[in-house]
Amino acid sequence: MTLLRDIPLSALQFYLTAPYPCSYLDEREARSQVAIPSFLISTPQYSELVRHGFRRSGTFTYRPRCDNCHACVPARIEISAFTPNRTQRRTWKKYQHLEISLHGLEDKPEYFDLYQRYQAARHREGGMDNDSHEQYSKFLLQSHVDSMLVEFREPIDLAPDRPGTLRMVSIIDVLDDGLSSVYTFYEPELTRASFGTYNVLWQIELCRKLQLPFLYLGYWIRESQKMSYKANFRPLQGLLNERWQVIPEAQLK
């Protein structure tokens, strides 16, 4: 139904959730503002919501609205302003051999296996290491917007006709003015691989090829170690006081 593309944000309703334990900062409570109904939020509406600091988890569209905390800063990279640093250039060169392919939101056993191993190694304290296949599917494989799944594989030298070894999977939304990095998971046993850095660099390059001005990275939280990698992509813009602006260098350190 093409008319769904023309629905204004005023047709949506917004509600605040009850307080719940924060996933990023210990001993803090969080609340979210949620946009509903989800079936009315297609790519044009979601693009506008992202510009206002929203993000999605499956078909659940939300932004932080905590009572006593403003630590979550919506973050994005302006593609024309970004220049990789020396470490990032080395990482980019290191992974030029990977086989990369774009797909719909497919469900493959090897994806879920990699996801489980990644969560067990990287996010055990958040409880996501116990996600069922249903929880995984709702989180990453359901979407009302233009989304894609990207495979990153290591070629098999002795069997060039076979699919390479799966190293990383990334879920990405295509917005009106950029790409939105939904979630990425990768091989946790290669602890010094820098797959996450390479993935962001690859998405920046895809933005350039698609002539899209921004890469949205979700939320940056200064006090969260999990979010610290985003500060490495400078100049980093944040939605501060309802206006997108470059986050000062002193705040990123």
Side-chain angles (χ1 to χ4, degrees):
M1 181 177 179
T2 56
L3 290 177
L4 285 177
R5 299 186 62 85
D6 301 322
I7 292 174
L9 293 187
S10 59
L12 301 176
Q13 297 181 357
F14 300 88
Y15 73 89
L16 278 175
T17 67
Y20 57 89
C22 179
S23 301
Y24 301 105
L25 300 176
D26 293 338
E27 300 180 358
R28 296 198 194 183
E29 285 191 334
R31 297 182 77 184
S32 294
Q33 183 181 36
V34 181
I36 57 172
S38 60
F39 69 86
L40 292 182
I41 304 174
S42 58
T43 296
Q45 294 79 27
Y46 185 62
S47 298
E48 185 65 22
L49 287 168
V50 170
R51 286 190 285 273
H52 285 83
F54 282 80
R55 186 162 175 79
R56 74 174 183 88
S57 174
T59 60
F60 181 82
T61 303
Y62 69 97
R63 64 179 174 182
R65 275 294 182 268
C66 305
D67 295 331
N68 301 303
C69 179
H70 303 284
C72 292
V73 177
R76 72 183 186 185
I77 299 168
E78 183 177 9
I79 304 305
S80 63
F82 174 75
T83 300
N85 60 32
R86 184 177 180 181
T87 299
Q88 290 164 345
R89 290 195 298 270
R90 285 200 302 264
T91 300
W92 177 255
K93 185 177 181 180
K94 179 180 179 180
Y95 290 112
Q96 290 304 292
H97 67 288
L98 291 182
E99 298 171 341
I100 303 170
S101 56
L102 279 58
H103 306 265
L105 299 184
E106 301 177 3
D107 189 2
K108 293 183 180 180
E110 63 177 337
Y111 296 164
F112 184 52
D113 175 69
L114 180 60
Y115 174 83
Q116 286 185 306
R117 290 190 290 108
Y118 173 81
Q119 296 296 351
R122 300 298 180 103
H123 298 290
R124 184 180 300 275
E125 72 282 359
M128 294 178 71
D129 58 309
N130 293 317
D131 276 5
S132 66
H133 185 269
E134 182 180 7
Q135 289 170 311
Y136 157 80
S137 297
K138 288 181 178 180
F139 174 37
L140 293 180
L141 303 183
Q142 293 185 10
S143 172
H144 291 318
V145 303
D146 294 333
S147 305
M148 59 181 165
L149 181 150
V150 187
E151 288 184 4
F152 298 80
R153 293 182 179 272
E154 194 92 38
I156 302 175
D157 294 336
L158 300 179
D161 296 332
R162 291 173 51 193
T165 302
L166 185 66
R167 293 302 192 197
M168 180 164 57
V169 172
S170 189
I171 309 297
I172 302 170
D173 292 337
V174 183
L175 309 180
D176 292 346
D177 67 341
L179 299 177
S180 176
S181 185
V182 178
Y183 199 73
T184 296
F185 52 98
Y186 47 83
E187 178 54 63
E189 294 183 4
L190 302 175
T191 54
R192 303 183 66 181
S194 300
F195 283 130
T197 295
Y198 173 72
N199 185 270
V200 175
L201 294 171
W202 185 86
Q203 292 187 44
I204 290 171
E205 185 60 26
L206 183 59
C207 283
R208 288 199 174 103
K209 291 179 179 178
L210 297 175
Q211 297 184 328
L212 294 170
F214 300 108
L215 173 61
Y216 291 88
L217 295 178
Y219 303 114
W220 172 70
I221 304 172
R222 185 178 184 181
E223 300 171 60
S224 172
Q225 185 63 33
K226 294 179 184 178
M227 301 295 186
S228 62
Y229 73 94
K230 299 179 184 182
N232 296 325
F233 296 89
R234 303 179 186 181
L236 185 68
Q237 291 188 355
L239 186 60
L240 304 170
N241 300 318
E242 303 300 323
R243 184 170 68 88
W244 286 101
Q245 54 191 291
V246 173
I247 300 173
E249 288 285 323
Q251 293 185 25
L252 294 174
K253 295 178 180 179

